[in-house]
Amino acid sequence: MKITKVEAIHLRLPNVTTDCDGTQDNLVVLVHTDAGLVGIGEVDSSPTVAKAVIEAPMSHYIANGLANVLIGEDPLEIGRLYEKMHRATIYYGRFGPAIHAMSGIDLALWDIAGKHYGVPVYKLLGGAYQKKLRAYASILFGNTPDDTFKIAQQWANAGFTAVKFGWGPFGKDEKLDLEHAAAARRGLGDKRDFMIDVGCCWDWKTAVRREELLRQFRPFWIEEPLLADDFEGYGKLSNHVSTRIAAGEGESGVAAYEHLMRVGDIDIVQPDLARCGGLTAGMKIAEIAKSLRKGVCNHSYKTGISIAASLHFMAAIQNGVILEYCVEEGPIRQTTTIEKFPVINGYVDVPEAPGLGVNLNWDTIEKFRQK
Ligand code: MG
């Protein structure tokens, strides 16, 4: 079997706002083969930037476009192809967009492998420790504490046993932060878990003080409290607070995650499979996390493609904590795949169909496709 084409499809809603909502656009990646199998992946990045990485003409040996690198290759040699793509982009890649684009291709290659061997991807990753994953609803804070209270009630009533609130008005003012956290805890009741995603805005001493005040609401973790590059700050923070610190959704490449875990000493690392380097990098990151005694939680804010990949990933690692499940409403997020991956009593089943277990909804693709 040989790769014949790598297709990058940019989807975008007609009206995109400046909200911190990554479900307004997407880059779906299709890897075609001469055997008729088509692998499906997606990229969580700037879609047009990642698309350019895939489609770029060759400049020279280590500044190439990813499609050039893959045409004619055997799609089943996933690990070697990861290294080949990495090598071919090191002048402009290593971190950021090149790894983002590689992620979508890597997911598509795992999808092809599963379809070729007739097994769900988790079996190729080593097998499932769990066939059903506890999921937390992932949503933004409301504009006011009252809105946050209502959002908490909505997702508690939907059966979730854990809800994460993020970004929006949070992080800017101590008093308001406490009001939002109190509203979230009140809306969720005592028994559910509650995560706070701060939005990368504090220095480490502000974070220490805020954690002291927020502890009364028993957050399960506090996520990305610091500026993204403040690795030393994460290290100091982690050694000063008792609440778990989670971070890492914005990193890409195995080396970056290892640095974050070692220097930042965070408790829970959050690779996004559509950005970190796909399942190939994700499994390596999880293995490093395991050796450092850290937990792993997927970051995932795109479509059913990312949900499926995250389910296979989280099922196949021993140190998975809980599945992130984006509940943002939007037609690209909700209807790009036929499969909906429903959350029932707070849990989601791991797909059992060959490959990732997703089928594209071509009505959605054609409706939002950018020419
Ligand atoms: Mg986050």
Side-chain angles (χ1 to χ4, degrees):
M1 182 164 48
K2 289 193 169 22
I3 296 171
T4 54
K5 188 165 86 167
V6 181
E7 194 179 357
I9 303 172
H10 177 201
L11 307 180
R12 183 177 170 91
L13 297 181
N15 297 308
V16 169
T17 71
T18 56
D19 285 353
C20 191
D21 174 5
T23 68
Q24 304 180 95
D25 62 9
N26 199 21
L27 189 70
V28 173
V29 176
L30 301 181
V31 175
H32 299 262
T33 67
D34 62 359
L37 292 178
V38 179
I40 301 169
E42 72 182 357
V43 179
D44 191 343
S45 183
S46 164
T48 50
V49 173
K51 187 174 163 69
V53 171
I54 291 171
E55 295 174 351
M58 184 170 78
S59 177
H60 59 80
Y61 174 55
I62 49 176
N64 203 348
L66 295 178
N68 292 333
V69 175
L70 294 171
I71 304 298
E73 285 282 3
D74 180 347
L76 300 177
E77 298 193 11
I78 303 173
R80 183 178 66 76
L81 293 182
Y82 184 95
E83 295 305 329
K84 189 180 183 194
M85 290 191 283
H86 194 240
R87 178 85 185 157
T89 54
I90 51 175
Y91 262 11
Y92 69 91
R94 297 181 57 231
F95 308 101
I99 301 279
H100 301 168
M102 284 170 56
S103 306
I105 290 170
D106 183 81
L107 295 182
L109 295 178
W110 283 98
D111 188 39
I112 289 170
K115 287 167 173 165
H116 174 76
Y117 295 115
V119 295
V121 164
Y122 73 78
K123 293 208 184 205
L124 299 177
L125 298 175
Y129 293 95
Q130 312 169 62
K131 293 286 190 78
K132 210 180 248 302
L133 295 168
R134 185 162 88 103
Y136 70 84
S138 191
I139 192 79
L140 304 178
F141 277 105
N143 290 330
T144 65
D146 201 38
D147 291 342
T148 293
F149 172 75
K150 288 182 190 136
I151 294 167
Q153 279 194 317
Q154 178 188 352
W155 296 110
N157 290 338
F160 282 93
T161 62
V163 180
K164 183 175 86 184
F165 298 83
W167 296 73
F170 199 85
K172 298 169 186 80
D173 177 81
E174 185 174 285
K175 182 168 169 289
L176 191 61
D177 287 355
L178 294 176
E179 287 172 12
H180 275 282
R185 173 47 83 200
R186 206 168 63 247
L188 292 178
D190 277 344
K191 294 198 177 111
R192 291 179 188 83
D193 286 316
F194 160 45
M195 294 85 156
I196 298 172
D197 187 354
V198 175
C200 306
C201 57
W202 297 333
D203 58 54
W204 76 272
K205 286 196 176 174
T206 304
V208 168
R209 171 163 169 81
R210 218 60 127 245
E211 187 273 344
E212 270 175 24
L213 297 169
L214 290 167
R215 215 183 291 157
Q216 62 185 301
F217 306 112
R218 292 180 294 108
F220 187 80
W221 72 54
I222 294 176
E223 176 174 328
E224 291 201 329
L226 306 186
L227 300 175
D229 292 330
D230 190 4
F231 299 105
E232 281 80 13
Y234 270 112
K236 290 174 191 153
L237 171 65
S238 292
N239 287 295
H240 275 83
V241 298
S242 61
T243 305
R244 297 175 192 90
I245 301 297
E249 68 184 60
E251 301 300 325
S252 50
V254 178
Y257 280 94
E258 180 159 10
H259 185 71
L260 173 64
M261 285 188 271
R262 288 190 185 278
V263 178
D265 204 17
I266 55 169
D267 302 285
I268 293 169
V269 66
Q270 300 173 292
D272 189 315
L273 299 169
R275 184 154 63 208
C276 75
L279 282 159
T280 298
M283 293 302 285
K284 290 177 183 170
I285 292 160
E287 195 58 33
I288 296 169
K290 189 173 139 194
S291 71
L292 295 172
R293 306 291 179 263
K294 298 185 184 306
V296 177
C297 176
N298 66 299
H299 174 269
S300 177
Y301 226 69
K302 287 292 181 188
T303 75
I305 302 167
S306 286
I307 295 176
S310 299
L311 284 163
H312 291 289
F313 171 65
M314 291 292 285
I317 61 175
Q318 269 184 312
N319 47 343
V321 178
I322 185 169
L323 182 89
E324 174 166 48
Y325 193 98
C326 172
V327 292
E328 226 33 89
E329 291 179 352
I332 291 178
R333 191 194 79 68
Q334 292 175 305
T335 67
T336 291
T337 62
I338 305 284
E339 296 74 15
K340 300 287 180 222
F341 305 104
V343 180
I344 297 164
N345 297 326
Y347 285 76
V348 190
D349 288 331
V350 178
E352 291 291 347
L356 291 175
V358 292
N359 290 283
L360 294 178
N361 179 347
W362 283 94
D363 290 342
T364 300
I365 303 279
E366 293 310 332
K367 185 168 178 190
F368 298 110
R369 182 178 208 148
Q370 304 296 298
K371 303 293 183 219

